[in-house]
Amino acid sequence: MRQPRQPLAPFDGLWILELDVIDDPERPNSSFREVWRADRLSDLGLPDLGPQQWNVAESPEGTLRGIHAEPWDKLVHVISGEAFAAIVDLRPDSPSAGEVWTGTLDRSVALLVTRGLGNSYQVVSERAAYAYLVNGRWQRGVHYPSVRWNDADLAIDWPIVDDRLSMSAKDRANPTLADHWRTVKG
């Protein structure tokens, strides 16, 4: 794991972690990488994640999940395949509120996404395994802040919008950014 870098977007609370992937020359298609180690992240100046739950979503090409802003921090990593990530600042009092960062995630990159930032991704390879280590626990039936994937105010340029696009009915029904602001600002 190398020194983290903050993305080009003006985000406080989003870090890109470049991982050292060690390929095994004696075994084709074999590798090793360290994705999370508390002392190493602390040495790099990142907040303590204190993980409570580890989630893995496996999906085919075109699957889009998000944009969700659960009340916890997450370390996001694509175990296999590739995903297009879109992170949105949904914190109402943030100087970068409503700003978007996008990038491609693969096995050599992880993101540390802190609470209040909306996390979303779309699988751009044939298949991907998307994992996230979180310091909170998801609960069925609880409403977490979210916004619509195709909100014109966000103008996210999703790579797959043809018949391969797949998402849950719940994500299709997420509110617009303007509706989200009305809800959180009262």
Side-chain angles (χ1 to χ4, degrees), residues 5 11 18 20 24 34 39 42 57-58 64-65 68 77 90 99 110 129 132 144 148 150 160 164 178-179 186:
R5 57 187 165 93
F11 274 72
E18 295 177 355
D20 293 317
D24 186 341
E34 184 177 88
D39 64 331
S42 177
E58 297 178 272
L64 192 151
R65 297 182 189 267
H68 308 143
H77 178 57
L90 296 178
E99 295 286 329
Y132 45 107
Y144 298 108
R148 190 168 298 156
N150 61 351
I160 299 173
R164 295 172 293 164
D179 288 341

Side-chain angles (χ1 to χ4, degrees), residues 14-148:
L14 174 63
W15 289 272
I16 299 169
L17 305 172
E18 295 177 355
L19 307 177
D20 293 317
V21 178
I22 303 166
D23 290 315
D24 186 341
E26 296 180 20
R27 294 175 190 87
N29 301 314
S30 297
S31 67
F32 172 83
R33 64 194 169 274
E34 184 177 88
V35 180
W36 176 79
R37 194 172 115 189
D39 64 331
R40 183 72 178 120
L41 291 175
S42 177
D43 290 347
L44 293 171
L46 299 177
D48 179 21
L49 191 59
Q52 297 289 315
Q53 187 172 328
W54 184 37
N55 305 310
V56 177
E58 297 178 272
S59 307
E61 180 182 37
T63 301
L64 192 151
R65 297 182 189 267
I67 302 167
H68 308 143
E70 298 90 355
W72 50 69
D73 306 317
K74 14 181 137 160
L75 181 67
V76 172
H77 178 57
V78 174
I79 296 171
S80 64
E82 288 189 353
F84 172 84
I87 310 297
V88 180
D89 190 344
L90 296 178
R91 301 169 295 188
D93 299 324
S94 169
S96 56
E99 295 286 329
V100 177
W101 174 88
T102 62
T104 300
L105 303 179
D106 61 22
R107 68 187 188 134
S108 68
V109 178
L111 296 178
L112 181 61
V113 182
T114 57
R115 64 193 74 216
L117 299 180
N119 178 52
S120 61
Y121 68 94
Q122 183 176 50
V123 176
V124 294
S125 55
E126 183 178 328
R127 199 162 175 74
Y130 183 92
Y132 45 107
L133 192 61
V134 299
N135 58 5
R137 291 188 180 101
W138 179 84
Q139 296 178 31
R140 184 178 306 278
V142 174
H143 171 74
Y144 298 108
S146 59
V147 294
R148 190 168 298 156

